[in-house]
Amino acid sequence: MKKVIGNIVGRSVLYLALVVGFVSATRAQNDAEKLYKAKCIGCHAADGSANTKAGRNTGAHDLRLPDVQKETDATLIGIVTKGKKKMPKFEEKLKAKEIKELVEYVRGFSNKP
Ligand code: HEC
């Protein structure tokens, strides 16, 4: 009987861990989406295409293209942190964790060309 209860408790803990993990991953993605919409969309557009007036004026690239997606996370994080040409730097405006999540969010564009 003890063993059965032990199994049930063990399983519940496992399920709980899965649910908590899933919820926090989803939350991180929502936060990144919110940040992207607040800070990046003007130049990069909702779909990453950079098909906006500011995007054309600054010469922002289509973030969905392989040329962008082939860059390492470190490179993309570096560009968002320190800026590059007309890309503003965000090191004073965003936390390192937020920048990392934004780069993960940008990775998602590659699936929707
Ligand atoms: C004022 C317009 C502007 C805003 C706002 C902006 N970007 Fe950019 N971004 C650019 C431009 C222009 C480049 C291309 C820089 C270059 O010439 O290499 C760029 C480059 C990038 C790159 C590197 C990929 C590439 O094009 O080579 C990433 C990743 C990126 N931006 C993400 C972001 C994120 C995330 C945000 C919001 C936190 C953001 N950008 C906000 C204009 C902008």
Side-chain angles (χ1 to χ4, degrees):
M1 190 58 191
K2 253 201 184 137
K3 205 171 171 195
V4 174
I5 291 174
N7 272 342
I8 291 171
V9 171
R11 252 169 230 241
S12 308
V13 169
L14 185 69
Y15 286 139
L16 193 67
L18 283 175
V19 169
V20 169
F22 179 75
V23 168
S24 52
T26 315
R27 188 169 300 157
Q29 219 224 318
N30 285 343
D31 286 352
E33 191 174 344
K34 260 188 223 137
L35 280 177
Y36 185 87
K37 287 190 173 144
K39 311 218 180 267
C40 323
I41 208 169
C43 295
H44 289 289
D47 57 0
S49 64
N51 194 9
T52 66
K53 198 156 181 253
R56 284 188 290 277
N57 286 343
T58 54
H61 308 136
D62 186 336
L63 296 175
R64 302 169 301 183
L65 293 180
D67 269 359
V68 172
Q69 294 293 334
K70 73 169 197 260
E71 299 292 349
T72 61
D73 283 358
T75 303
L76 297 181
I77 288 170
I79 294 173
V80 180
T81 309
K82 300 279 179 197
K84 189 180 173 191
K85 297 190 212 164
K86 298 250 169 89
M87 163 79 193
K89 64 172 192 276
F90 283 91
E91 62 181 341
E92 285 127 30
K93 298 186 192 112
L94 297 171
K95 295 185 201 109
K97 185 174 161 281
E98 291 171 330
I99 293 178
K100 193 168 165 282
E101 284 166 9
L102 277 167
V103 166
E104 279 164 29
Y105 184 73
V106 162
R107 292 274 183 225
F109 291 141
S110 64
N111 308 325
K112 311 163 206 153

